[in-house]
Amino acid sequence: MLQKMRERAESDPRVRKDPPVQVEVTDLSEAFAQAAIRAWTAREDFAAVKSDLILAAHLLSDDPTRTLPPPRPSKAPDPSPALPGDRPLDFLRRKSAKRDRKPKSAETQPPPQAD
């Protein structure tokens, strides 16, 4: 069933390809097995992808041979927008030095007073 869940998440067009989908067993006993699926999506698609994967897990637990309904369409303008590190960040750019200021020279300062 875990392999079918991985295939379901990887085939969903709303799920990003990078980083890849991760599926791992988090708890196991004689009565049940618990797994975690980690998949990256656009913010607008998160809730729909999560509910679709929960529904798929429920349907596959009842009948592993069942055909699952197709994923819903994406609500995001682009299903794979750039990650935050892909764009240059303005606040990290070094500000240029102000060139209007002229350093105070010894000529403009009054000479030191002798005691």
Side-chain angles (χ1 to χ4, degrees):
M1 183 172 134
L2 291 179
Q3 183 61 29
K4 286 192 176 191
M5 289 301 299
R6 175 188 299 275
E7 291 170 3
R8 172 65 177 208
E10 289 175 344
S11 66
D12 193 330
R14 300 168 296 177
V15 173
R16 294 183 179 160
K17 305 302 179 216
D18 186 38
V21 174
Q22 297 176 350
V23 179
E24 61 184 53
V25 176
T26 58
D27 197 6
L28 188 61
S29 75
E30 293 177 6
F32 69 92
Q34 184 175 358
I37 299 174
R38 291 182 177 86
W40 289 84
T41 67
R43 183 181 324 186
E44 296 86 357
D45 293 329
F46 173 75
V49 169
K50 182 178 178 180
S51 65
D52 283 356
L53 289 175
I54 290 172
L55 176 64
H58 179 71
L59 294 175
L60 288 174
S61 68
D62 289 343
D63 182 13
T65 61
R66 182 180 179 131
T67 304
L68 298 174
R72 291 182 263 181
S74 175
K75 291 185 179 179
D78 180 2
S80 295
L83 294 173
D86 293 344
R87 295 186 211 146
L89 301 175
D90 292 336
F91 64 88
L92 292 179
R93 289 188 186 154
R94 186 175 180 179
K95 294 183 179 180
S96 61
K98 294 185 179 180
R99 304 197 189 271
D100 299 354
R101 296 182 184 176
K102 295 181 182 177
K104 292 183 179 180
S105 64
E107 298 171 6
T108 60
Q109 295 178 356
Q113 298 286 334
D115 290 329

